[in-house]
Amino acid sequence: QVQLVESGGGLVQPGGSLRLSCTVSGLTAPRVRFSVWTMAWYRQAPGNERERVAVITSHRTEYEDSVKGRFTISRDNAKNTVYLDMNSLKPEDTAVYYCNAKYAPYNYWGQGTQVTVSS
């Protein structure tokens, strides 16, 4: 059974930083190593649709425009873990952040972690 477990969310003041982590286990279907999975972070604020914030493959990263220069996605394949370093946080970054693992046709989600940016 594939599990994605996120951690690192919380309450932070504007301008602050947080690091989200997502550790993946049970990647037995298909039997491919973690490094070839496309990993992404999404977020969903109340009343809004879920949007992709950042994505990382084996050879590239991409970011949503509003987080470019502030957020960094990275992965540690030895630990089956993907990270999202968030700096210069703004109130509009407040949302539930979800980890996603994709290897067509497989698509898995974590349970989400709340990030609140407020003074």
Side-chain angles (χ1 to χ4, degrees):
Q1 182 178 355
V2 176
Q3 285 190 311
L4 282 66
V5 179
E6 299 116 331
S7 61
L11 173 65
V12 63
Q13 292 186 344
S17 300
L18 282 175
R19 176 178 241 205
L20 305 183
S21 300
C22 171
T23 299
V24 184
S25 61
L27 287 176
T28 58
R31 290 182 181 271
V32 295
R33 60 191 184 279
F34 174 75
S35 62
V36 303
W37 286 72
T38 295
M39 300 299 299
W41 286 97
Y42 287 71
R43 67 185 179 186
Q44 187 168 19
N48 291 357
E49 294 186 353
R50 191 172 296 188
E51 64 174 354
R52 193 176 74 180
V53 174
V55 61
I56 184 168
T57 68
S58 60
H59 58 278
R60 68 176 176 86
T61 58
E62 290 184 2
Y63 298 92
E64 193 269 330
D65 285 347
S66 69
V67 307
K68 285 181 180 177
R70 300 189 298 121
F71 290 12
T72 302
I73 189 170
S74 61
R75 65 195 299 162
D76 184 338
N77 292 326
K79 296 181 178 180
N80 283 15
T81 299
V82 63
Y83 304 98
L84 185 68
D85 288 295
M86 305 185 294
N87 299 308
S88 302
L89 282 161
K90 304 175 182 180
E92 51 263 43
D93 295 317
T94 296
V96 178
Y97 284 70
Y98 297 91
C99 180
N100 175 261
K102 191 173 298 182
Y103 184 87
Y106 302 93
N107 190 25
Y108 301 107
W109 293 92
Q111 81 287 352
T113 185
Q114 176 70 46
V115 171
T116 302
V117 185
S118 175
S119 55

